Amino acid sequence: FMSNTSSFSHGGAIGNYGSLRITNSKFMSNTAYANGGSIDMGGIVTVTNSTFVSNTAGYRGGGINSYGGTLTIVGSSFINNTGNMYGGGVASDASLTTARDTTFSDNHSPNNGGGLENSGALTLTNSTLSTNTVGVGGRGGGVYNDPSGKLIIDSSTLVDNSAPGGFGGGIYNVGQLTLNAATLAGNAVSAGLGGGIYDEISGTAAITNSTFYHNFGGMAGGGILAVGAVTVTNSTFYSNTAGGLNGGNSGKPLKLKNSIVVNNSAYNCNGTITSLGHNLESADTCAFAAIGDLHDVVNPQLDPLANNGGPTLTDALLLGSPAIDAGTNSGYPLTDQRGVARPQDGDGNGTAVCDIGAYEAMPTYRVYLPSVMR
């Protein structure tokens, strides 16, 4: 489907309000004056092993726009699409949208949701959002989740997305967000707020087993800027930066448990941070003072972001890291970001205790060779 233009304003290539299956197809350079540069839908649509390249919608959904219905996307790519108001790659208010093993890259919206815009129920699994953008002052370079949106991101990567002068380089959330086993790296808001995530006042977010690395918040919140209610469990914030208030986390009702916040600049934390215990900080700006909290840890012994197994990159705990076996076995996730079972006896003292952060260190065994006498 190539270089089609909708004369009815919706669905540059296809308008579907019944049932549709698309497999091994390519949609390129299609245009809709309003919604759905390639596909505008309201029924049941399944897209498998297909590619959407350089499609444009005047309003919503450069690649696909969904009003109601259900949308399933498997093993597909959305590249360089544009939604001129919302959702460069996909805009969805479907009752259920699922996307797995799918890539969204170089998509753009001048306003909200460079890669994705969600106002329905959307689950993203084993997928990547990279180098998606919004215009100056826009929201959600990677994803925009609006007030009615229920967004789940699992085992996925958001890297190098940007919202210059705006909010939420990786994610802008004003609805309900669940983030699990995800990596946010290199996302940025130059002269804006929330390099990794900006959580608006009515937004709620539950973040577990996730890594925030080298994100940049121009004014504040290199990793997360939370105005709404955000709870973080067993996650790692490493080497995020902000030109103003902080590099790691900035928030009002921002709660952390079993998490690492180290080597961020200018500060690890700013604002009202509540410790739920067993957090580790490389300075003393987060005011961690609950049971098991560690602060002023000069050398947290973390590796830079790397492939340590599992679907996403992680910061490994090096041998002897003070985060090993320093968490709590109460209310911890049963696996780490890679899918490794928790807890492990990482320090080899005979007792398995959950580690602090997104990575669970495996036991190190010593091997003794028999002596040989001649």
Side-chain angles (χ1 to χ4, degrees), residues 172-259:
Y172 179 94
N173 177 55
V174 68
Q176 298 178 34
L177 170 65
T178 301
L179 191 73
N180 179 61
T183 292
L184 287 82
N187 302 288
V189 281
S190 57
L193 301 171
I197 296 176
Y198 183 94
D199 187 77
E200 187 54 90
I201 190 167
S202 62
T204 61
I207 299 169
T208 306
N209 275 339
S210 293
T211 298
F212 293 73
Y213 183 80
H214 268 317
N215 300 287
F216 174 69
M219 295 175 63
I224 296 176
L225 194 146
V227 184
V230 178
T231 301
V232 179
T233 305
N234 277 100
S235 294
T236 300
F237 298 83
Y238 182 26
S239 192
N240 301 284
T241 59
L245 296 177
N246 80 297
N249 299 301
S250 181
K252 291 185 178 178
L254 178 59
K255 301 177 181 180
L256 288 92
K257 175 181 178 179
N258 270 17
S259 292

Side-chain angles (χ1 to χ4, degrees), residues 23-319:
T23 304
N24 298 328
S25 298
K26 186 172 186 177
F27 295 79
M28 184 173 183
S29 301
N30 300 287
T31 301
Y33 291 120
N35 301 322
S38 285
I39 299 173
D40 186 70
M41 58 156 288
I44 301 172
V45 174
T46 300
V47 178
T48 305
N49 296 332
S50 295
T51 304
F52 296 76
V53 181
S54 300
N55 302 285
T56 302
Y59 193 65
R60 299 180 78 240
I64 298 176
N65 177 67
S66 172
Y67 279 121
T70 61
L71 172 63
T72 302
I73 303 168
V74 181
S76 296
S77 299
F78 293 79
I79 303 167
N80 195 38
N81 302 285
T82 300
N84 276 309
M85 285 295 289
Y86 300 101
V90 172
S92 177
D93 68 356
S95 58
L96 178 62
T97 296
T98 57
R100 66 178 185 271
D101 305 319
T102 291
T103 299
F104 299 84
S105 63
D106 298 311
N107 301 288
H108 177 72
S109 172
N111 292 286
N112 298 330
L116 291 166
E117 183 269 339
N118 175 57
S119 52
L122 190 154
T123 299
L124 188 72
T125 306
N126 291 325
S127 295
T128 299
L129 290 101
S130 65
T131 58
N132 301 287
T133 60
V134 291
V136 176
R139 302 178 182 186
V143 185
Y144 177 93
N145 189 43
D146 88 351
S148 59
K150 297 179 180 180
L151 175 63
I152 298 172
I153 299 177
D154 185 72
S155 303
S156 295
T157 298
L158 291 90
V159 59
D160 295 336
N161 302 286
S162 64
F167 305 87
I171 300 170
Y172 179 94
N173 177 55
V174 68
Q176 298 178 34
L177 170 65
T178 301
L179 191 73
N180 179 61
T183 292
L184 287 82
N187 302 288
V189 281
S190 57
L193 301 171
I197 296 176
Y198 183 94
D199 187 77
E200 187 54 90
I201 190 167
S202 62
T204 61
I207 299 169
T208 306
N209 275 339
S210 293
T211 298
F212 293 73
Y213 183 80
H214 268 317
N215 300 287
F216 174 69
M219 295 175 63
I224 296 176
L225 194 146
V227 184
V230 178
T231 301
V232 179
T233 305
N234 277 100
S235 294
T236 300
F237 298 83
Y238 182 26
S239 192
N240 301 284
T241 59
L245 296 177
N246 80 297
N249 299 301
S250 181
K252 291 185 178 178
L254 178 59
K255 301 177 181 180
L256 288 92
K257 175 181 178 179
N258 270 17
S259 292
I260 295 173
V261 189
V262 297
N263 298 349
N264 304 283
S265 62
Y267 307 101
N268 283 322
C269 296
N270 178 272
T272 303
I273 309 296
T274 299
S275 173
L276 301 179
H278 299 271
N279 297 296
L280 183 153
E281 187 193 358
S282 58
D284 192 12
T285 61
C286 296
F288 291 151
I291 294 173
D293 283 340
L294 304 172
H295 56 80
D296 291 316
V297 176
V298 176
N299 184 7
Q301 299 186 60
L302 277 177
D303 250 355
L305 204 64
N307 182 359
N308 297 301
T312 53
L313 303 182
T314 52
D315 295 311
L317 300 178
L318 300 177
L319 183 65

